[in-house]
């Protein structure tokens, strides 16, 4: 009994003396642990934002180098279309599968692989000895970009488990992309004017190395994302989607030089239709489809996807046309071309900041109706443009058009997310982004076809048709929003997501 009593006394002594010391040590270490966690989260945000920045830079920066590329490789408008669209095509086609790959292998792993591929491909673009080599390197860039964007968001989800902190992090991520989109033409103009067109690709090398370093040091190494653990790779669907988009892009680009009656153009269109039909058949029967077709039974989701394609068709199609107009027809330098686009690109970022606050007051319907009509008005006011006209007359229409588009982009995201169940938000936002990229790719292909002749009279005729087409499509989007979104749904969306 005495022995047991001694043991109890010893246990009480150790609990009263050692335990407080351990607790004090743990409390002393907590600020350091919180500091380390905070630093890792901020480092992850920096890596994700840099990845988004390089993706959007290479969407916009190439446009100011079009004339330099035309002269360097002695190519035509169709060749320039492929330099732009090879990147966008692969980016759009592989966006959904790249997100699913990150779910399976880990967002950090796929993000870093995409960053490494994008950086190496940028070196390939900068060193390309021929137009064909440049287009192949742009394809590799598009693959890297597809791996970067969805997995950068997955890394942010893991790094910021608190919803409020995650919302702020995604806001900074989006702001970085907006800055890149606005600064891209100006940065490209400076680089092309002082260091040649190859520099717009080689500048990605130090940026890529920085992004890889930050993601390696700070991003979480989780094996799978908890958001979509059951997503798989739909290889047959992916193959048919790529084939359909590639064949359509080829047919639209080749029609300018070969004519619509050429067998290769006919063949491309037929192959695109057959591949698209096969894609729909595969997706409707697949147990784990790349694109769940059931989403399109939701009217507002379908409307958001169609409208996203329309606004990117108009925006990127006319950016391509005006790039050629400024450089080839008005003989502006790359730097002057970049500065000429500044009113159009800078307002995208400025207006986007305020749209989230307006969503709770006006709702999706009101914002989309305003954005479609305002952008259509801006493009309609650009229709009288002429080679001899003063640039000052273009500033107000550019501001009107781009502010209308900036109003719609975050609104469409809100409409998409409010249309689906919480478990489907990842795939739904991916479909919206893919639809927008496809719209931009088709805009460059179709508008490039219209301005395929560089002779002033022929070019201006095609340019006026491209502007009219963009305005008409935006008005068609206005009609779709008018009949497709009820005022009751709009009010519900405004109350549900006022801060998005």
């Amino acid at each position: 009994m005495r022995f047991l009593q001694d043991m109890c006394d010893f246990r009480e002594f150790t609990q009263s003396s050692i335990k407080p010391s351990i607790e004090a040590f743990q409390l002393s270490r907590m600020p350091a642990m919180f500091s380390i966690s905070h630093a890792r989260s901020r480092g992850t945000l920096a890596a994700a934002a840099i990845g988004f920045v390089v993706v959007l830079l290479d969407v916009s920066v190439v446009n100011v180098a079009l004339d330099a590329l035309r002269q360097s490789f002695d190519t035509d408008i169709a060749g320039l279309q492929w330099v732009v669209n090879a990147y966008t095509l692969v980016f759009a086609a592989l966006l959904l599968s790249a997100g699913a790959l990150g779910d399976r292998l880990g967002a950090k792993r796929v993000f870093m692989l995409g960053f490494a591929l994008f950086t190496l491909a940028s070196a390939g673009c900068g060193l390309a000895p021929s137009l064909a080599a440049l287009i192949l390197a742009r394809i590799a860039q598009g693959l890297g970009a597809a791996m970067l964007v969805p997995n950068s968001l997955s890394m942010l989800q893991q790094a910021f488990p608190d919803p409020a902190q995650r919302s702020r992090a995604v806001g900074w991520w989006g702001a970085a992309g907006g800055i890149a989109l606005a600064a891209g033409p100006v940065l490209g103009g400076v680089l092309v004017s002082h260091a040649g067109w190859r520099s717009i690709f080689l500048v990605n090398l130090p940026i890529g190395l920085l992004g890889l370093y930050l993601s390696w040091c700070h991003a979480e190494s989780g094996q799978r994302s908890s958001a979509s653990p059951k997503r798989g790779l739909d290889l047959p669907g992916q193959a048919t989607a790529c084939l359909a988009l590639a064949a359509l892009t080829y047919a639209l680009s080749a029609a300018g030089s070969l004519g619509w009656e050429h067998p290769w153009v006919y063949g491309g269109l037929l192959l695109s239709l057959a591949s698209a039909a096969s894609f729909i058949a595969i997706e409707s029967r697949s147990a784990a489809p790349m694109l769940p077709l059931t989403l399109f039974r939701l009217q507002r989701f379908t409307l958001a996807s169609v409208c996203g394609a329309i606004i990117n068709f108009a925006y990127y199609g006319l950016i391509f046309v005006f790039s050629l107009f400024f450089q080839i027809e008005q003989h502006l330098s790359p730097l002057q071309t970049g500065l000429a686009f500044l009113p159009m690109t800078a307002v995208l970022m400025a207006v986007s900041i305020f749209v989230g606050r307006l969503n709770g007051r006006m709702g999706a319907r009101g914002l989309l109706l305003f954005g479609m009509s305002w952008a259509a008005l801006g493009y309609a006011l650009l229709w009288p443009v002429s080679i001899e006209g003063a640039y000052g007359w273009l500033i107000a229409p550019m501001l009107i058009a781009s502010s209308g588009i900036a109003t719609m982009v975050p609104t469409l995201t809100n409409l998409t997310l409010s249309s689906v169940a919480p478990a489907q938000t990842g795939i739904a936002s991916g479909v919206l982004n893919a639809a927008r990229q496809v719209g931009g790719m088709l805009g460059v292909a179709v508008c490039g076809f219209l301005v395929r002749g560089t002779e002033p009279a022929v070019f201006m005729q095609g340019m006026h048709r491209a502007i009219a087409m963009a305005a008409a499509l935006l008005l068609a989007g206005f009609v779709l929003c008018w009949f497709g979104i009820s005022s009751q749904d709009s009010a519900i969306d405004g109350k549900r997501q006022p801060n998005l």
Side-chain angles (χ1 to χ4, degrees), residues 198-215:
R198 297 181 186 275
S199 61
I200 65 175
F201 300 111
L202 296 178
V203 74
N204 290 332
L205 301 185
I207 300 176
L209 292 176
L210 176 61
L212 284 169
Y213 171 78
L214 290 173
S215 54

Side-chain angles (χ1 to χ4, degrees), residues 357-411:
R357 300 177 182 179
L358 293 175
N359 189 62
R361 300 177 182 178
M362 297 180 62
R365 186 174 189 267
L367 287 172
L368 288 175
L369 290 175
F370 168 79
M372 287 289 183
S373 57
W374 196 238
L377 174 63
Y379 284 130
L381 293 175
L382 285 171
W383 191 84
V385 62
S386 65
I387 296 177
E388 300 80 13
Y391 170 74
W393 292 104
L394 301 179
I395 295 178
M398 282 184 170
L399 290 173
I400 293 172
S402 56
S403 60
I405 287 179
T407 302
M408 292 183 284
V409 171
T411 305

Side-chain angles (χ1 to χ4, degrees), residues 6 15 122 136 179 238 298 328 376 431 449 482 492:
D6 289 341
Q15 289 178 343
S122 297
L136 288 175
I179 293 172
Q238 182 65 83
L298 305 172
I328 297 177
V431 173
F449 166 78
W482 181 275
I492 292 172

Side-chain angles (χ1 to χ4, degrees), residues 110-365:
V110 178
F111 178 85
M112 291 189 65
L113 180 61
F115 227 142
L117 177 59
F118 188 93
T119 305
L120 290 174
S122 297
C125 290
L127 301 175
S130 64
L131 182 66
L134 176 60
I135 292 173
L136 288 175
R138 289 284 285 170
I139 290 173
Q141 266 193 323
L143 174 57
M147 299 169 73
L148 282 172
V149 173
N151 291 292
S152 66
L153 287 172
S154 295
M155 291 197 316
L156 290 182
Q157 184 178 26
Q158 296 170 14
F160 296 92
D162 179 70
Q165 292 181 350
R166 186 189 311 133
S167 177
R168 287 192 293 270
V170 173
W172 282 109
W173 177 85
I179 293 172
L181 196 61
V186 179
L187 175 62
V190 172
L191 290 173
V192 175
S193 296
H194 294 89
W197 67 264
R198 297 181 186 275
S199 61
I200 65 175
F201 300 111
L202 296 178
V203 74
N204 290 332
L205 301 185
I207 300 176
L209 292 176
L210 176 61
L212 284 169
Y213 171 78
L214 290 173
S215 54
W216 172 263
C217 293
H218 298 290
E220 296 285 344
S221 299
Q223 292 300 307
R224 298 178 62 166
S225 168
S226 59
S228 307
K230 296 182 180 180
R231 291 178 65 190
L233 293 178
D234 179 11
L235 296 181
Q238 182 65 83
T240 51
C242 288
L243 187 58
L245 291 176
L248 179 59
T249 305
Y250 169 78
L252 294 175
S253 300
S257 56
L258 300 179
W260 288 104
E261 298 180 356
H262 196 279
W264 284 103
V265 176
Y266 272 135
L269 292 175
L270 290 176
L271 180 59
S272 177
L273 289 174
S275 300
S278 299
F279 173 76
I280 294 174
I282 290 171
E283 297 305 283
S284 63
R285 300 172 184 174
S286 174
M290 170 183 123
L291 176 59
L293 298 180
T294 53
L295 288 175
F296 292 101
R297 297 175 184 171
L298 305 172
Q299 180 175 323
R300 292 188 300 162
F301 174 84
T302 304
L303 179 73
S305 299
V306 173
C307 289
I310 287 175
I311 63 174
N312 269 38
F313 183 103
Y315 183 77
Y316 287 108
L318 291 188
I319 285 283
F320 182 80
V321 169
F322 272 91
S323 297
L324 297 174
F325 170 74
F326 289 139
Q327 295 172 75
I328 297 177
E329 304 302 332
Q330 291 197 325
H331 307 290
L332 298 186
S333 69
L335 178 56
Q336 290 172 323
T337 301
L339 292 173
F341 280 123
L342 193 57
M344 180 171 278
T345 54
V347 76
L348 287 173
M349 179 181 63
V351 174
S352 296
I353 297 174
F354 300 102
V355 172
R357 300 177 182 179
L358 293 175
N359 189 62
R361 300 177 182 178
M362 297 180 62
R365 186 174 189 267

